[in-house]
Amino acid sequence: MSAAPGAGFWLERAWTGGEVREGLALTTAADGTIAALDSAAEAPVGFRRVPGLSLPGAVNAHSHAFHRLLRGRTHSGGGTFWTWRQVMYRAAAQLTPDSYGLLARAVFAEMAAAGYTAVGEFHYVHHARGGAPYPDHDMERALAWAAQQAGIRLVLLDTCYLTGGIGKPLSAEQARFGDGDIDGYLARHAALGAALQDCEHVTLGAAIHSVRAVPAADLPAFSQLTGPLHVHLSEQPAENEACLEAYGTTPTGLLERAGVLDARLSAVHATHLREADIAALGAAVASIVMCPTTEADLADGIGPARALADAGAVLALGSDQHVVLDPLLELRGLEAGERLGSGERGRFGPAELIAALTSGGARSLGLDQGGLQTGDHDGGGLRVGAPADFFALSQDSARTIGSRGEQAVLAGTSADVAEVVVAGRTVAAHGEHAALGPVAELYREAMAAFDLAD
């Protein structure tokens, strides 16, 4: 089912950023990038035919792989984000390197089958239960192994988590997340970078869990690091209130004060913002990672996506807790939230939504070959020189038949993803992983290690 790098694909239709083009011969280079995109009415000899609409690979800019254990298990009895968090802690307590590797392999395989070709894993379960370090970055190595097994690009967002709230120590449930102090985090982060440097398609980024979990005095240390920097930002009103009480400013203002609000920062959620926060994030040309299905599931609220984009921020999309793994539902959720909040249709056009799913996510994760500093990116189209990462969306299913051009992304779901290619190699087709087989079987094996009783 796979095509080796250096082979070719004939795309029946392809999104090139500004238009859908008919009949393109895509040739891959030996390094897995796109070497050529040539018009071709028919498939050249030896080229693999790819029907439907081909789009650049979806980028999942915010993932917590182990949260997949909670899917379909937290919907009775009502509650809030904070009560949901207690269930999440019980899942985190059961993770070991072996069990997490198998679980993440299934999660990343499900992502690949759904059309994702890259993922930013916001990872904070670093240590053994109780906080003792593993011998050799065992949890992080498990995630890298899982991504390589699934054939998906991984940006491991190594997360700093030092306090259980502003001015509060870590709780017993959070002990395995922490590194003692900022120097402990920085030392572990540097060692982790060395440990992962030979892992193909795995790169390292950094993350501030939140202003609740990293003291204000430690935030400037993140300006020492290179590469993408992510942070959970203003997901809940309670976070804003605690920050205002402790520091006299909003979480956005605190990051700006610390000197880390810039073009390499990705603010995840950014749901409850003041006008000054929106202006500051836009002026910094920061990335904003919206996670619409999770934000709806956790009753977070509707973030000001249109206002942030208009201010100059660059939008990206993530699946966060994987209540579903469907890039097209995340894309549609972004627009649906805007319509529900504004009473207007077409707040984001199809081209803008595709860009958020593709090039916006690549920029957020530092996979865009330099656009982090400027805000410039390719508009979400296939182009020569970019990674040969794409997915093909069927346009003749019950959901998509009759759709006009790129508007098919507002009609289809992951069930319509016919083929997924990473670095010139087919990793999944028609819902099944090319190398690992049925994703449900991967989950069945992985979940046997967990006690999922209520």
Side-chain angles (χ1 to χ4, degrees):
M1 190 181 291
S2 63
F9 300 84
W10 181 77
L11 312 180
E12 183 181 26
R13 301 178 192 87
W15 175 247
T16 57
E19 62 180 344
V20 174
R21 291 178 59 185
E22 302 276 343
L24 281 181
L26 185 155
T27 305
T28 64
D31 64 356
T33 60
I34 298 175
L37 275 173
D38 300 314
S39 296
E42 298 293 336
V45 175
F47 276 56
R48 179 178 174 84
R49 296 177 60 89
V50 182
L53 173 64
S54 290
L55 300 119
V59 177
N60 189 341
H62 188 69
S63 162
H64 299 293
F66 79 90
H67 288 193
R68 172 61 180 82
L69 291 171
L70 307 184
R71 184 188 294 176
R73 305 186 64 84
T74 64
H75 300 285
S76 61
T80 66
F81 168 86
W82 305 103
T83 56
W84 170 89
R85 190 174 70 158
Q86 293 306 310
V87 182
M88 180 269 287
Y89 284 159
R90 291 199 291 273
Q94 297 184 52
L95 296 172
T96 67
D98 288 343
S99 67
Y100 203 7
L102 291 177
L103 177 62
R105 180 180 67 168
V107 174
F108 295 154
E110 186 183 3
M111 286 185 197
Y116 289 112
T117 58
V119 57
E121 181 63 26
F122 198 105
H123 168 66
Y124 51 82
V125 189
H126 303 298
H127 307 302
R129 193 171 182 178
Y134 285 106
D136 185 23
H137 309 286
D138 295 38
M139 294 294 267
E140 292 77 17
R141 287 187 182 277
L143 289 168
W145 171 85
Q148 290 179 312
Q149 288 283 298
I152 193 170
R153 299 180 192 273
L154 171 67
V155 179
L156 187 60
L157 298 167
D158 182 42
T159 303
C160 185
Y161 202 132
L162 301 176
T163 59
I166 297 175
K168 298 178 181 178
L170 294 175
S171 66
E173 298 95 334
Q174 298 165 329
R176 66 187 312 190
F177 308 161
D179 290 302
D181 56 26
I182 189 63
D183 290 334
Y185 167 79
L186 292 172
R188 187 185 54 73
H189 181 79
L192 177 59
L196 297 179
Q197 62 183 352
D198 294 328
C199 295
E200 186 178 21
H201 298 321
V202 177
T203 55
L204 184 64
I208 300 161
H209 179 273
S210 59
V211 300
R212 293 180 285 110
V214 178
D218 294 333
L219 293 173
F222 290 89
S223 63
Q224 304 171 22
L225 305 179
T226 59
L229 175 64
H230 285 223
V231 59
H232 289 133
L233 186 74
S234 294
E235 182 178 6
Q236 291 288 319
E239 176 186 322
N240 290 350
E241 293 162 8
C243 189
L244 283 162
E245 182 177 353
Y247 302 122
T249 187
T250 64
T252 300
L254 192 65
L255 296 174
E256 187 173 32
R257 185 185 296 174
V260 294
L261 180 55
D262 56 26
R264 75 187 182 101
L265 184 75
S266 289
V268 181
H269 302 305
T271 308
H272 302 282
L273 301 178
R274 296 182 174 185
E275 288 187 8
D277 298 331
I278 294 170
L281 288 160
V285 200
S287 292
I288 307 295
V289 185
M290 297 285 188
C291 305
T293 63
T294 286
E295 288 148 11
D297 181 75
L298 296 180
D300 286 343
I302 300 171
R306 183 71 266 173
L308 283 160
D310 289 344
V314 179
L315 298 186
L317 290 165
S319 67
D320 196 355
Q321 62 148 332
H322 319 311
V323 62
V324 296
L325 271 172
D326 189 324
L328 299 181
L329 291 187
E330 300 296 348
L331 173 153
R332 283 216 289 282
L334 180 66
E335 171 64 8
E338 280 290 320
R339 293 185 185 191
L340 289 168
S342 69
E344 298 176 359
R345 301 183 77 242
R347 298 278 287 177
F348 290 101
E352 292 176 290
L353 295 171
I354 294 169
L357 184 63
T358 58
S359 57
R363 177 187 189 270
S364 169
L365 296 180
L367 298 174
D368 65 341
Q369 303 172 337
L372 274 173
Q373 300 307 313
T374 65
D376 295 333
H377 51 116
D378 61 20
L382 292 170
R383 59 180 175 82
V384 172
D389 298 356
F390 63 92
F391 72 97
L393 183 67
S394 169
Q395 291 189 280
D396 60 5
S397 76
R399 289 164 294 278
T400 59
I401 194 165
S403 298
R404 179 177 296 172
E406 69 273 18
Q407 295 185 51
V409 299
L410 290 160
T413 70
S414 61
D416 301 309
V417 173
E419 185 162 358
V420 184
V421 173
V422 180
R425 192 178 299 274
T426 298
V427 297
H430 302 290
E432 185 167 312
H433 197 275
L436 301 175
V439 175
E441 293 302 318
L442 299 176
Y443 277 124
R444 186 168 288 109
E445 178 184 2
M447 289 183 176
F450 296 94
D451 179 4
L452 299 179
D454 294 336

